[in-house]
Amino acid sequence: MQTYLTLMLLFPLAGGLTCALAGRKLPRQAVEILACAAVWGSFVCAALAAASYAAPQTVTLGGWFSSFDLLIPISLYLDPLSLSLAVMIGFVCGLIHVYAVFYMRKEGDYARFFALLNIFVFAMLTLVLAESLPLLYLGWEGVGFCSYLLIGFWYTDKNNADAGRKAFITTRIGDTALVIALAWMFQLFGTLSITQLNGMGFLMPGSIVTAIGILFLIAAMGKSAQVPLMVWLPDAMAGPTPVSAMIHAATMVTAGVYLLSRMYPLIGSSATAMATIAVTGGVTAFYGATCALAQRDLKRVLAFSTISQIGYMMLGVGAGAVTAATFHLLVHAFFKALLFLGAGCVITAMHHEQDIFKMGGLRKTLPLTFWCYLAGAACLAGLPLTGGFFSKDSILVALWHKGGTLYQSLYALALLTALITAYYSFRMVYLVFGGSDGHKHVHVELKFMQLVLIPLAILGLFGGVLNLPSYIGEGFLTRFFAGLAGGAAVEGTHTEELALQAVAATIALAGLLAAYVRYGKGRSQRLLEAKAYPTAMAAFLLNGWYFDRLYQAVLIRPYQALSGVLWQKVDEGVIDDSLDRLAGGLGFSGSWLGRWSTGRVSIYIVSFAAGGALMLGYLAWLAL
Amino acid sequence: METTLFYILSAVTVFGTLCAITARQAVRAIVYLVTSFFALALIFYILGAPLVAAFEVIIYAGAIMVLFLFVIMMLELGSPEKLPKPRLADWWPAVILFLAVVGSVTVIAASRQPAIAPGFTAISVREFSQALFTRYGIAVEAISMQLLFALVGALYLGRRR
Amino acid sequence: MSVPLSHVLILASVLFAMGLGCVVAWRANVIMMLIGIEIMLNAVMLTFVGGSAHWGIADGQLFALMIMALTSAEVSLALAMVVYLHRRKGSVNTDDFDSMKG
């Protein structure tokens, strides 16, 4: 087991380092094959580890810190949660690497790209497998750093570089909260081992657990783009599409959910923290869905839908259903990666046009992409019997069973969100693929890129078998996660469950119908409308509820003003000025004293001799 | 007898030096100075340092002063009489310094008056040479290096360009 | 011989002070300044020799000899510099060489 885990981490690290250090010297194909092989090797290790998995296990690879009572070993923890995520990461990232090979065919700087992708996989696996929180934090920062570099991959364009910075700085707020939580927990418990911490929650009063839970939540908000720290994710779409698929849809952004699931045994005992998590998730899900309604940029639609879907996962964690949240996380990784990769195909075929109102007719010209994309959209919308339906439904069921006013209203909000989700998913499908005014531009690469979509589409559509509802058969994940805290299945009668699923299915179909009526039939009319100036409501949604402007006004402007004052008044006015004056005074006195050095030897000699005579005279005076 | 000679020679030395530093021309100053150094060499001899006395005559009065003379001739100063002389005002600091130094040293020397006792002992050339080439061997080497550097430096400074 | 050491020292100090006075007074002629330095060095030699004779140790005389060697090195360099400076400025007045003025 140790071999598998070590190799799982070392493959992408070695691949990334080789690409980074020697990538420019190697031929392009060698780099591509190396990068893909590293990730697939990692996946094979994960699969082997899964095959030989018996019980949760801690593997210590070596020591890192060991001073006084601070012990941070490099140890990995394999349990159902980390194992399922590791397998998913290996598989999805492997597929995306293959896709990226063809997507980035024309790109010159392939070595940097693949080096970063591989290092990202390494960091993500470190995050998932870490047993001690500092190691997790290392992976956490590692993925953030790779994300920053990959968002700004085309850094010559200022917008891209700005988007990278925005993502980095925004997530940093969350990272700070995580560090505070880590330091505080070390002070409280004297250990940073996740397994030990999870068993120690009862030692502390509820208020402290709540505070720690909220700190973790803030960390998750930053990384998983939850309200109010979600503003970076839509802009992060400036990166190459494979990057968006891998980092900003499938893996990194779900790290927050993973963190909360991981620490659930500790923070789950605080009802307040759980409720906060749930409310954050619910609001985010609703926010993301509404914003996705009005977006015109294909990738931004997907970005907002990612925000929304992660909101669902948070909702699941908040409802205490770690299994459901992880289930949705896995299935979401498949179908959202599928949607992004499909979007990448579409964008390539459309000559890098991203406005969905300018697309259309691709159903006939890109049939393979269309069918796969349709599968992804169906999962996203939660159409019955797709993977997305089951996973989303398990969260809804968990919410329903949690009971209480708060969770019931969150259930209602989640249902409303589901309706909107179905609506915007098919709005997107109709606008992109419907109609007949299609034109396309087929590259050779596009054929290979489309092939990658197929396994993802199959996994997305049939991802439900991972955890079928109990009336059909026992869920695999439920059994697998049974040992985990918060992994227990929610109990309920089959009838009740069927009824809830029927409601969810109805809602999803209603959304589909509404989208069909508005964009399927009246597509041409909508295209005409789109040319007009957007209504106030649409503009509100298009700009993400004007959160960017709000932050601009509330945070950035005052900060800039303060910086300006500090710069011009304090720094230049006081510090620089006083230093200037000091330097001027010193210079003046120096040049005044400099007149003493006349350069005339005679004066020097006289003063020197006078000094000597003075000393002699003093000695004589002493002798008298 | 030697005591008397010492005081006479002292007077000669001081007088010669006085003439040298107040001489109107550098050439005259050097001639006065040679006189003074001869007297000084004799004082060295009286003080039991025959080697030093010999070197004083050979190197100082012989070589160095001649070097001065050569340089004065080389400089082609035209008419040396027209060179600026120290004015009377320039002598005041010199006189004050002179008085201060001599006065101080006299006071110090007079206040520490322990030994008339053993008188002066002559040091033989053998003793001198042994000390020079055994204990101070490294110093001799260093001095020889320094002379070499001085030679190189003087050549460098003196070449025409 | 019964000259006290103090008299030798006083003679040396007189010579030294005269050399000093020469250096201070003859600022107009760098050669005279060098002569003043020679006088001072001779005074120091006298002190050394006197001390050597007083305590009966050869070291004082050795140092006198070394001073002589040092002086010859110094004088050769200094006079070369005088020649050089005179060639550049056409003057032996020390006050003309003030290019290191602050």
Side-chain angles (χ1 to χ4, degrees), chain A residues 597-600 602 605-606 609, chain C residues 23 27 33 95 97-98 101-102:
Chain A
S597 72
T598 52
R600 291 169 68 147
S602 51
I605 288 177
V606 170
Chain C
V23 170
R27 67 164 72 160
M33 265 182 161
D95 288 347
F97 308 123
D98 58 353
K101 188 158 54 187

Side-chain angles (χ1 to χ4, degrees), chain A residues 89-174:
Chain A
I89 291 167
F91 184 70
V92 173
C93 291
L95 282 179
I96 294 174
H97 269 70
V98 174
Y99 181 89
V101 166
F102 297 104
Y103 189 85
M104 302 299 278
R105 253 291 133 81
K106 303 242 163 31
E107 196 58 44
D109 209 352
Y110 55 92
R112 178 161 62 97
F113 184 73
F114 284 108
L116 285 173
L117 281 193
N118 269 2
I119 291 174
F120 170 80
V121 174
F122 164 71
M124 190 67 205
L125 285 172
T126 312
L127 194 167
V128 167
L129 291 170
E131 200 272 337
S132 64
L133 280 172
L135 196 60
L136 184 146
Y137 184 72
L138 207 65
W140 182 275
E141 288 295 350
V143 290
F145 177 64
C146 290
S147 149
Y148 160 70
L149 288 177
L150 284 167
I151 292 170
F153 181 72
W154 291 307
Y155 56 87
T156 43
D157 186 351
K158 186 171 179 300
N159 286 337
N160 295 346
D162 281 347
R165 274 197 287 267
K166 185 175 178 183
F168 198 65
I169 293 170
T170 315
T171 49
R172 190 127 294 273
I173 299 171

Side-chain angles (χ1 to χ4, degrees), chain A residues 450-472:
Chain A
Q450 287 179 336
L451 288 180
V452 175
L453 304 182
I454 297 172
L456 284 174
I458 293 168
L459 274 171
L461 278 180
F462 300 106
V465 295
L466 278 175
N467 199 15
L468 286 174
S470 51
Y471 57 86
I472 301 177

